[in-house]
């Protein structure tokens, strides 16, 4: 895997696709700079070599061209603070004004382009738009945006066609994401436990099927629990359930049995009489939830079982919360799980946490530094573990010119 470490950027201008899709406050200030910080090693390597940086990113999902609330201008300010260097900003990402700004950029300087998605051609993977980006005047293309690697967008995949071999490489964040994902997918120390939460089985079908080939244990939590429970004849009250996926749930359970994979569903749940933090709640068996009540978290027995499975594991993948952890009343299952993973990691296990909600959970409970790796790419990581080829990775790996 060729990365920025394989090149010397002295007297070179690098066009770097970063993932600066960060949350902004009502005052249009960056409210969480994690993704910007993750990009710093790549940016500093290029600057330390004596290169110049031309940075491009998307922000949010603008629908109608340029909108102030989706401008990357506040990100330029945040980046300047983090790097303790001025960051120039230009109000477009293609065109004569941008070309001039790149041409006037001195080595050691940084230029951030305006939101790529202000042009609808970005998400369409338009080749003409990709060529416009490639022709801005940079010598090297660097992709460090793992969070968008699963999209064949102009700036993440198509643009690589216009840079010759040796002039397109991965950034250090992208390399770390790929290396850690491959470690789990292809070199997992046994026992390997995959923990999957979230609302729907349908969102995780391909992931579960792929993991059945490599995992020793699959632990299920969150709303999708109740589709599996109902499929086996359990009473789930008003819990979330995909009625059209009951047969599929039984197929997945049968496959797990056939392959000798331990498939853990929560024995008990914390149920509520409404979807609210103020709801009445009670602990009950997951297959004996009263009518009109809904399971919103795993119960204490499930926490204990999951803890012992996790603690005996050498490799752990976590994608998806155990319950509605955004509500204080229903966060204990997710908190307990995060603590179990942290404890296993401390004892020598390798743990990878990915997916927006799981990442939010380890941050919320101050455990992000207690796991081995926190992925920055929710959808990208999910598709990678489903066994899909990610366009943003393939574009640089496939030796196209």
């Amino acid at each position: 895997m060729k990365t920025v470490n394989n090149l010397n950027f002295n007297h070179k201008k690098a066009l770097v696709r970063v993932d600066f899709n960060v949350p902004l406050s009502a005052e249009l200030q960056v409210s969480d700079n994690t993704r910007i910080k993750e990009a710093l090693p790549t940016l500093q390597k290029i600057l330390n070599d004596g290169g110049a940086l031309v940075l491009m990113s998307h922000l949010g999902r603008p629908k109608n061209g340029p909108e102030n609330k989706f401008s990357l201008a506040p990100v330029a300010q945040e980046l300047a603070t983090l790097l303790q260097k001025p960051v120039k900003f230009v109000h477009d990402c293609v065109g004569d004004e941008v070309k001039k700004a790149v041409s006037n950029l001195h080595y050691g300087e940084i230029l951030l382009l305006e939101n790529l998605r202000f042009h609808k051609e970005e998400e369409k993977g338009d080749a003409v738009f990709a060529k416009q980006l490639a022709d801005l005047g940079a010598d090297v293309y660097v992709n460090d945006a793992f969070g968008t690697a699963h999209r064949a967008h102009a700036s993440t995949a198509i643009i690589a066609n216009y840079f010759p071999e040796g002039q397109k490489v991965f950034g250090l964040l992208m390399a770390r994401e790929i290396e850690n994902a491959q470690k789990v997918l292809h070199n997992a120390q046994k026992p390997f436990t995959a923990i999957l939460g979230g609302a729907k089985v349908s969102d995780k079908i391909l992931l579960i099927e792929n993991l059945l080939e490599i995992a020793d244990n699959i632990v299920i939590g969150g709303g999708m629990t109740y589709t599996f429970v109902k499929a086996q004849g359990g009473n789930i009250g008003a819990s979330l359930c995909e009625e059209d996926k009951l047969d599929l749930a039984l197929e997945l359970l049968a496959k797990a049995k056939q392959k000798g994979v331990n498939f853990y569903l929560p024995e008990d749940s914390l149920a509520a009489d409404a979807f609210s933090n103020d709801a009445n709640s009670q602990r009950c068996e997951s297959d004996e939830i009263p009518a009109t009540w809904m399971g919103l978290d795993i119960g204490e027995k499930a926490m204990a079982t999951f803890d012992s499975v996790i603690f005996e594991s050498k490799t752990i993948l976590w994608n998806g919360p155990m319950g509605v952890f955004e509500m204080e009343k229903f966060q204990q299952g997710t908190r307990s799980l995060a603590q179990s993973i942290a404890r296993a990691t401390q004892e020598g296990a390798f743990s990878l946490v990915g997916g927006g909600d799981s990442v939010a959970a380890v941050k919320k409970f101050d455990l992000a530094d207690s796991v081995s790796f926190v992925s920055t790419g929710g959808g990208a990581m999910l598709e990678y573990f489903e066994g899909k080829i990610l366009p943003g990775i393939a574009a640089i790996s496939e030796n196209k010119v």
Side-chain angles (χ1 to χ4, degrees):
M1 192 187 343
K2 271 203 143 184
T3 74
V4 290
N5 283 339
N6 296 106
L7 292 181
N8 186 329
F9 288 86
N10 189 33
H11 287 92
K12 285 188 167 66
K13 290 179 181 178
L15 180 62
V16 187
R17 178 48 160 106
V18 287
D19 183 5
F20 286 172
N21 182 28
V22 295
L24 300 179
S25 67
E27 297 75 36
L28 299 182
Q29 300 291 313
V30 174
S31 55
D32 181 350
N33 64 9
T34 305
R35 284 183 169 172
I36 305 174
K37 283 181 171 176
E38 294 285 358
L40 295 182
T42 295
L43 308 187
Q44 284 163 334
K45 150 69 180 163
I46 294 166
L47 291 172
N48 291 343
D49 278 1
L53 289 167
V54 181
L55 308 177
M56 55 181 178
S57 178
H58 74 285
L59 178 66
R61 297 179 181 274
K63 297 291 179 206
N64 307 304
E67 291 181 67
N68 194 42
K69 66 178 179 179
F70 293 118
S71 173
L72 281 162
V75 176
Q77 295 170 10
E78 183 69 21
L79 180 61
T81 302
L82 289 169
L83 283 173
Q84 296 186 305
K85 286 175 76 75
V87 173
K88 297 181 175 183
F89 183 72
V90 62
H91 293 279
D92 205 342
C93 55
V94 289
D96 290 341
E97 183 196 351
V98 183
K99 269 191 166 181
K100 186 178 177 185
V102 174
S103 174
N104 291 337
L105 196 66
H106 296 114
Y107 300 114
E109 291 186 334
I110 306 149
L111 173 68
L112 176 62
L113 310 184
E114 183 55 285
N115 194 340
L116 292 158
R117 289 189 183 172
F118 285 169
H119 295 260
K120 61 184 185 298
E121 293 86 353
E122 159 67 0
E123 290 184 87
K124 288 180 177 176
D126 183 83
V128 174
F129 182 65
K131 182 79 163 66
Q132 285 180 295
L133 293 169
D135 286 346
L136 288 175
D139 305 293
V140 181
Y141 168 68
V142 179
N143 190 347
D144 207 25
F146 182 73
T148 57
H150 57 313
R151 306 287 184 218
H153 291 171
S155 69
T156 58
I158 314 306
I159 189 173
N161 294 337
Y162 302 105
F163 284 84
E165 213 50 47
Q167 307 307 134
K168 48 187 175 183
V169 295
F170 293 116
L172 300 177
L173 172 61
M174 181 78 105
R176 275 182 25 244
E177 292 274 6
I178 297 167
E179 283 162 10
N180 283 289
Q182 286 181 339
K183 187 171 181 175
V184 172
L185 262 182
H186 305 299
N187 301 300
Q189 266 194 290
K190 301 286 192 171
F192 168 28
T193 297
I195 305 154
L196 305 175
K200 296 179 178 179
V201 179
S202 54
D203 292 340
K204 304 282 167 85
I205 297 167
L206 292 173
L207 181 59
I208 294 171
E209 289 188 331
N210 212 32
L211 288 170
L212 283 171
E213 303 297 327
I214 55 174
D216 301 291
N217 308 301
I218 292 181
V219 170
I220 299 289
M224 65 171 159
T225 296
Y226 304 103
T227 300
F228 284 101
V229 172
K230 184 166 184 178
Q232 296 175 92
N235 296 315
I236 62 166
S239 302
L240 193 63
C241 179
E242 290 178 281
E243 299 286 344
D244 61 336
K245 295 291 183 286
L246 297 176
D247 289 343
L248 172 71
L250 290 176
E251 281 173 33
L252 292 171
L253 289 165
K255 266 189 196 174
K257 192 171 184 181
Q258 177 197 338
K259 292 180 180 295
V261 177
N262 302 310
F263 205 97
Y264 294 92
L265 294 167
E267 303 156 71
D268 60 340
S269 295
L270 181 61
D273 62 358
F275 190 80
S276 164
N277 196 48
D278 301 322
N280 296 309
S281 62
Q282 61 172 310
R283 298 194 182 277
C284 44
E285 300 299 300
S286 293
D287 58 358
E288 293 177 7
I289 297 175
T292 75
W293 288 65
M294 62 191 81
L296 295 185
D297 197 5
I298 60 173
E300 288 172 356
K301 284 196 281 189
M303 289 180 218
T305 300
F306 293 176
D307 178 69
S308 62
V309 171
I310 290 164
F311 194 65
E312 289 167 13
S313 305
K314 293 291 180 205
T315 305
I316 302 156
L317 170 67
W318 180 25
N319 176 273
M322 296 294 98
V324 190
F325 76 99
E326 299 88 348
M327 296 183 196
E328 192 176 346
K329 197 171 213 172
F330 307 107
Q331 67 177 217
Q332 188 50 42
T334 303
R335 183 201 295 271
S336 168
L337 187 93
Q339 290 169 336
S340 298
I341 295 170
R343 190 166 69 99
T345 307
Q346 198 174 9
E347 293 295 319
F350 176 81
S351 54
L352 191 157
V353 178
D357 285 339
S358 308
V359 173
V362 291
K363 286 185 183 175
K364 182 183 174 97
F365 305 130
D366 294 323
L367 291 167
D369 294 333
S370 302
V371 299
S372 306
F373 188 72
V374 178
S375 175
T376 58
M381 196 203 81
L382 192 64
E383 291 196 19
Y384 197 84
F385 280 99
E386 287 173 353
K388 294 179 181 174
I389 292 167
L390 305 191
I393 294 173
I396 291 177
S397 302
E398 286 178 348
N399 302 320
K400 292 181 194 167
V401 177

